[in-house]
Amino acid sequence: MGNESDEVEKRECSFKFHDFTAQIGDSSITCHTIKMENCLYIWIGDSKENAMNDLSFAIVSPYEKDPLTTKIMGSISNEASNSLAKRLSKRLSMAVYVSFNVQVNNFSLPAIERRLRDEFNAYPEIF
């Protein structure tokens, strides 16, 4: 039996991490992103509480006009993660996971999405 460790090729991690914090109204929102090969994970939450109570997934399909989405965990009445995952998957043409862990209203949701878009535009190499 030969030395198998000589045959193992070590590869660098291709994951890219990016974090930022935004002030939305009276709340401080934190966003963590992990870019993997053909996949993106986004966690959006309160800066004080690192909970993951919600997770949605969207993926583009050659058979459908819009990406397919599903709620993996969390309340199905909270559509913020499904909606965001679907739009990002369509825009980026890749699978997208979104964990949306903040309470939003008609003011804060568009503000959070604008901040995400600004971050994507400022750091295109990350996404």
Side-chain angles (χ1 to χ4, degrees), residues 49-61:
E49 186 179 321
N50 288 328
M52 188 167 117
N53 300 315
D54 178 80
L55 183 63
S56 290
F57 175 71
I59 188 166
V60 292
S61 168

Side-chain angles (χ1 to χ4, degrees), residues 65-78:
K65 178 182 171 190
D66 288 327
L68 305 172
T69 61
T70 189
K71 178 73 91 164
I72 296 172
M73 63 188 267
S75 172
I76 58 171
S77 65
N78 180 359

Side-chain angles (χ1 to χ4, degrees), residues 68-122:
L68 305 172
T69 61
T70 189
K71 178 73 91 164
I72 296 172
M73 63 188 267
S75 172
I76 58 171
S77 65
N78 180 359
E79 284 291 318
S81 61
N82 260 2
S83 177
L84 184 57
K86 180 185 267 188
R87 287 193 307 278
L88 288 173
S89 182
K90 188 172 188 173
R91 177 180 174 205
L92 301 171
S93 297
M94 67 173 64
V96 176
Y97 292 89
V98 173
S99 180
F100 206 94
N101 303 285
V102 291
Q103 294 298 321
V104 293
N105 56 35
N106 292 339
F107 166 75
S108 59
L109 182 58
I112 291 169
E113 291 185 16
R114 274 193 305 276
R115 184 63 175 91
L116 273 172
R117 185 183 61 240
D118 292 347
E119 202 69 19
F120 285 4
N121 292 336

